[in-house]
């Protein structure tokens, strides 16, 4: 798994928002079911309300890398959405430029 992707997953599992945000490029994007959050401030607000703020846990069950993207399947736990989800990460310059979430 790409080091930036692993760092983002580890930060989420450690409920460490600062470390999670540090994994993204300056103009990084989280696409959560078509809702886009760009930049650290917006990603942080989204995460406070729906991800790390809900004590998310990601139990990775599958990783596939192709065409420059890392696809991670994980069982999501915590106090928000729970269940299987797919995360597609695009990495640019050693940081996550896009994280797309779908079920």
């Amino acid at each position: 798994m790409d080091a930036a992707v692993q760092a983002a997953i580890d930060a989420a599992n450690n409920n460490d928002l600062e470390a999670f945000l540090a994994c993204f490029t300056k103009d990084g994007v989280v696409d959560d079911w078509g809702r886009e959050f760009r930049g650290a401030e917006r990603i942080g607000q989204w995460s406070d309300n729906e991800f790390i703020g809900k004590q998310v846990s990601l139990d990775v069950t599958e990783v596939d890398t192709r065409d420059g993207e890392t696809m991670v399947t994980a069982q999501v736990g915590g106090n928000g959405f729970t269940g299987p989800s797919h995360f597609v990460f695009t990495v640019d310059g050693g940081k996550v430029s896009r994280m797309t979430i779908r079920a």
Side-chain angles (χ1 to χ4, degrees), residues 1-14 20 51 56-65 70-77 83-89 99:
M1 183 178 329
D2 187 282
V5 173
Q6 186 66 60
I9 290 170
D10 290 346
N13 281 331
N14 291 327
F20 181 70
F51 201 59
V56 72
S57 64
L58 304 174
D59 181 15
V60 175
T61 57
E62 187 176 342
V63 177
D64 186 22
T65 303
T70 301
M71 288 145 287
V72 175
T73 302
Q75 182 68 30
V76 178
S85 266
H86 300 283
F87 299 81
V88 179
F89 293 88
M99 179 177 88

Side-chain angles (χ1 to χ4, degrees), residues 13 15 32-33 35 46-59 72-87 99-103:
N13 281 331
N15 289 177
D32 185 4
W33 286 77
R35 296 176 305 136
W46 163 81
S47 182
D48 282 345
N49 292 323
E50 300 183 43
F51 201 59
I52 291 174
K54 296 292 187 186
Q55 295 78 43
V56 72
S57 64
L58 304 174
D59 181 15
V72 175
T73 302
Q75 182 68 30
V76 178
N79 298 318
F81 170 85
T82 59
S85 266
H86 300 283
F87 299 81
M99 179 177 88
T100 303
I101 307 168
R102 299 290 190 270

